[in-house]
Amino acid sequence: MPLEVWIPPKEKVDTLVMAGQHGDEAEGPALMSHALRSLDLADLRCAAIIAANPDGVRYATRANARGVDQNRNGPASNWSPEMVRYPESPGALNNLELSPGTEAASEPETQA
């Protein structure tokens, strides 16, 4: 699924607003989509990404289609190659293991 960015027709964009980094949290993309449909887009001075992790949003998972946790793939000084564990649901006994990627910013969604 492609990552789509809405960029306003203004010469200068001040801000980037993103939703859908965690695909298993559907509220953000729904709210962002509603907001963009409800506002006068000609007056906006921010770019918007409804689904920063489109594969994750599509499949309701924190990972992208390659099993990488997008929230742990950023180009941070503390990036680690260790697998990321988080509960599949609140109170779950089993944790899912996701990759942070082969290196910081290895994923196309992060690079975009």
Side-chain angles (χ1 to χ4, degrees):
M1 187 171 185
L3 183 131
E4 297 180 24
V5 180
W6 182 84
I7 300 174
K10 297 272 186 187
E11 192 171 303
K12 182 178 179 188
V13 175
D14 298 322
T15 308
L16 170 64
V17 180
M18 296 187 329
Q21 180 77 2
H22 299 155
D24 57 352
E25 298 171 357
E27 300 85 355
L31 182 60
M32 175 82 76
S33 177
H34 178 74
L36 289 174
R37 286 181 279 118
S38 301
L39 299 171
D40 182 356
L41 300 180
D43 292 334
L44 286 183
R45 293 188 64 175
C46 69
I49 299 175
I50 294 174
N53 179 0
D55 297 328
V57 169
R58 182 176 187 179
Y59 298 112
T61 180
R62 194 175 182 105
N64 66 11
R66 291 167 299 286
V68 174
D69 184 340
Q70 292 299 111
N71 202 44
R72 300 292 184 260
N73 186 246
S77 61
N78 64 346
W79 181 86
S80 169
E82 299 296 318
M83 295 294 281
V84 179
R85 302 182 90 180
Y86 78 101
E88 186 172 10
S89 60
L93 299 176
N94 296 327
N95 288 327
L96 295 176
E97 280 196 341
L98 300 174
S99 168
T102 56
E103 61 187 9
S106 63
E107 301 303 295
E109 299 92 341
T110 307
Q111 294 168 14

